[in-house]
Amino acid sequence: MDILDTPPEERFDRLTRVARRLFDTPIALMSLVDADRQWFKSRPGLDFPQTPREHSFCAHAILGEGVFVVPDAMLDDRFRDSPLVTSFPEIRFYAGCPVRAPDGSALGTLCVIDHEPREVQEGDIDALVDLAGMAEQELKSIALATIDDLTGLANRRGFDAIAAHTIAMCRRVDKPATLLLFDLDGLKQINDTLGHETGDDALRRFGKELVATFRDSDVVARRGGDEFCVMLSGATTEDVPRPLSLLLDRLGGNDEKSPVLFSVGAATYDPAKHLTVAHLVQEADIAMYRQKREHVAH
C-alpha cells in the first residue's frame, strides 16, 4: 500500500488524538508491523518513529481478532523484560485493536499506552474498536487510489510506487529485478465484435492468470487500457521463458471466441541506465512493441 515511512497525515493524527483524549493516556499510536520492526504512522506522545518488532506489543495484538489488553506489563511474562517496559517509554498499560487492510490482513494497530497500570471498561473497548475501524476506512481510501477497479490489481500509480521500492530493495541486497510489460493483442477487435463486456472479461481473465502464474513476491499490475506489467524481484530475463510458457498454457484453455493473446517485452534493471521506474518501463515497452510488430507481420 506504499504507506511505510510516509510523512504524518492529519486523517490518522486526528484518530490518535481522539484516542489519547478518550482514554486519557499520554501516548496513542497507529502502528504498522513490518517484517522486523513496528513503524508508527501517527504517534502523539512518542518521540521515536519505530521500534524493533521483537519488542512490539502490537505484533502480539495483530494475532488476535479483538482488542489486546495488557493491564500491567510488569506482571506479564511476555513483556516485563522488554526495554520498552524497563526504560523509556516505560509501558505499563497497553490496549491495541488490529487495523486491517481491505483484504483482511492485519497491518498494525490503533493503540493507547500509559505509564501506570490500569483496567479497561467495556465502553473503552468499543471506542477503540470504532477508532480502529475508522483507521481501516482511511487505509481503504488509500488502497482505492492505487487499485484498478476492473481487475483488482495495482494500477499505474500503485505499481510505480511498489516497483520503486522493489528496485531499491533488490539494489540493497545486490539482486536483479526484471520488468515484463504485456499488451493484449486484438482487444479492440473483441470489443468491436463481441462487446465491451466480453472485452472486460478478457482483461479480468488475463489479470487473474498473471497472478496465478507468477510468484507471490512478484508485483502484478494493470497500467491502463490493455497494458499489464509484472515486476520480478531476484530474476533476470533468463528466468522469464518458463513462467511465460506456463502463462500461455493457462490461457490456452480460454474461450475460443475471445482468445487472450499478448505481446510482451522484458527489461532487467541496470542502475547505470535506469534512473527511474519509467526508464525501465520504456525499455520493456520498446521490446514489447518489437514483438507486437512481429505478430502483425505473421
Side-chain angles (χ1 to χ4, degrees):
M1 296 178 67
D2 195 38
I3 192 173
L4 286 170
D5 301 311
T6 55
E9 293 182 60
E10 172 60 22
R11 55 180 159 180
F12 296 114
D13 289 342
R14 182 173 60 252
L15 298 177
T16 51
R17 288 198 303 268
V18 171
R20 196 180 181 193
R21 185 168 63 250
L22 284 177
F23 285 82
D24 191 24
T25 56
I27 300 170
L29 307 170
M30 180 176 167
S31 73
L32 295 169
V33 182
D34 200 1
D36 56 5
R37 60 173 176 155
Q38 62 172 353
W39 176 80
F40 307 122
K41 176 63 177 173
S42 180
R43 50 187 174 92
L46 196 64
D47 292 333
F48 45 83
Q50 62 186 40
T51 68
R53 179 170 177 157
E54 62 184 306
H55 303 149
S56 169
F57 285 65
C58 299
H60 290 264
I62 65 172
L63 300 178
E65 292 297 322
V67 174
F68 179 72
V69 180
V70 180
D72 189 343
M74 290 298 290
L75 302 180
D76 194 309
D77 292 339
R78 295 168 295 183
F79 304 113
R80 66 175 60 184
D81 296 324
S82 167
L84 299 178
V85 175
T86 58
S87 58
F88 187 80
E90 298 179 335
I91 298 173
R92 292 293 294 275
F93 166 79
Y94 170 94
C97 184
V99 172
R100 301 183 182 278
D103 67 358
S105 304
L107 300 182
T109 72
L110 197 295
C111 65
V112 289
I113 291 169
D114 203 342
H115 307 308
E116 302 293 334
R118 58 190 285 183
E119 299 292 334
V120 294
Q121 305 302 316
E122 180 108 10
D124 295 334
I125 296 291
D126 293 341
L128 200 56
V129 169
D130 287 343
L131 287 168
M134 293 165 70
E136 289 176 352
Q137 289 301 311
E138 296 295 354
L139 288 174
K140 186 176 181 179
S141 70
I142 292 173
L144 289 174
T146 58
I147 298 297
D148 174 57
D149 289 340
L150 181 66
T151 63
L153 301 175
N155 60 18
R156 178 191 291 262
R157 179 182 176 187
F159 171 78
D160 287 348
I162 300 170
H165 284 300
T166 301
I167 287 174
M169 177 192 69
C170 290
R171 187 170 60 236
R172 274 198 307 271
V173 298
D174 196 27
K175 295 288 186 181
T178 294
L179 173 70
L180 297 179
L181 191 65
F182 296 86
D183 191 90
L184 300 195
D185 297 333
L187 183 66
K188 184 178 184 303
Q189 182 178 359
I190 291 175
N191 286 332
D192 291 346
T193 59
L194 299 174
H196 284 273
E197 187 173 335
T198 303
D200 287 349
D201 286 341
L203 290 167
R204 280 191 287 263
R205 193 161 64 238
F206 188 70
K208 180 181 178 181
E209 299 297 358
L210 283 177
V211 171
T213 298
F214 290 91
R215 304 168 300 177
D216 289 343
S217 58
D218 298 328
V219 182
V220 180
R222 179 188 178 206
R223 285 182 61 83
D226 53 4
E227 191 175 282
F228 291 76
C229 56
V230 181
M231 174 68 80
L232 296 86
S233 55
T236 69
T237 50
E238 295 177 356
D239 301 307
V240 167
R242 185 173 179 277
L244 286 184
S245 177
L246 178 59
L247 178 62
L248 285 168
D249 289 343
R250 296 185 68 92
L251 291 171
N254 287 329
D255 184 355
E256 293 183 1
K257 293 181 180 178
S258 56
V260 180
L261 307 174
F262 63 86
S263 299
V264 59
T268 296
Y269 173 69
D270 180 350
K273 62 178 179 178
H274 301 130
L275 301 180
T276 66
V277 173
H279 291 119
L280 191 62
V281 170
Q282 185 177 35
E283 182 175 324
D285 190 56
I286 292 170
M288 182 269 291
Y289 273 102
R290 186 184 306 124
Q291 186 179 98
K292 185 176 282 287
R293 285 194 296 272
E294 292 174 359
H295 288 171
V296 172
H298 290 87

